[in-house]
Amino acid sequence: MTWIKCEDMMPEQMTENQGRKKVKVLVAIKNKNGVIIRTQERWISSSGNWMWRCSPGEVTHWMPLPDPPEEQ
């Protein structure tokens, strides 16, 4: 997987996410202390706009979460 710039594409634009009201992804957040990487949700607000969960900084990149490990 590779990082995707927010200016290039957002998670809800991916075919597998269309029609969903919430998407959880890994994000890179730029703030005054550098870059933080963590999981975060993006969801549709009551006004119908997609929003990031409140973050201390700017979400610049994201990537889908990996599939969970398979049990053997």
Side-chain angles (χ1 to χ4, degrees), residues 4-60:
I4 300 167
K5 290 182 181 180
C6 291
E7 62 190 45
D8 292 343
M9 181 172 59
M10 296 303 277
E12 66 275 8
Q13 294 171 303
M14 295 180 68
T15 304
E16 59 269 27
N17 291 336
Q18 289 180 358
R20 295 176 66 186
K21 296 197 182 270
K22 188 187 308 187
V23 178
K24 192 166 192 170
V25 295
L26 190 61
V27 295
I29 302 168
K30 183 179 178 183
N31 65 23
K32 63 181 180 180
N33 297 320
V35 175
I36 300 168
I37 296 174
R38 69 178 190 194
T39 59
Q40 190 168 93
E41 293 177 345
R42 186 164 165 85
W43 76 95
I44 295 178
S45 70
S46 58
S47 64
N49 297 319
W50 279 89
M51 300 179 66
W52 289 112
R53 187 178 82 204
C54 185
S55 300
E58 174 191 4
V59 177
T60 61

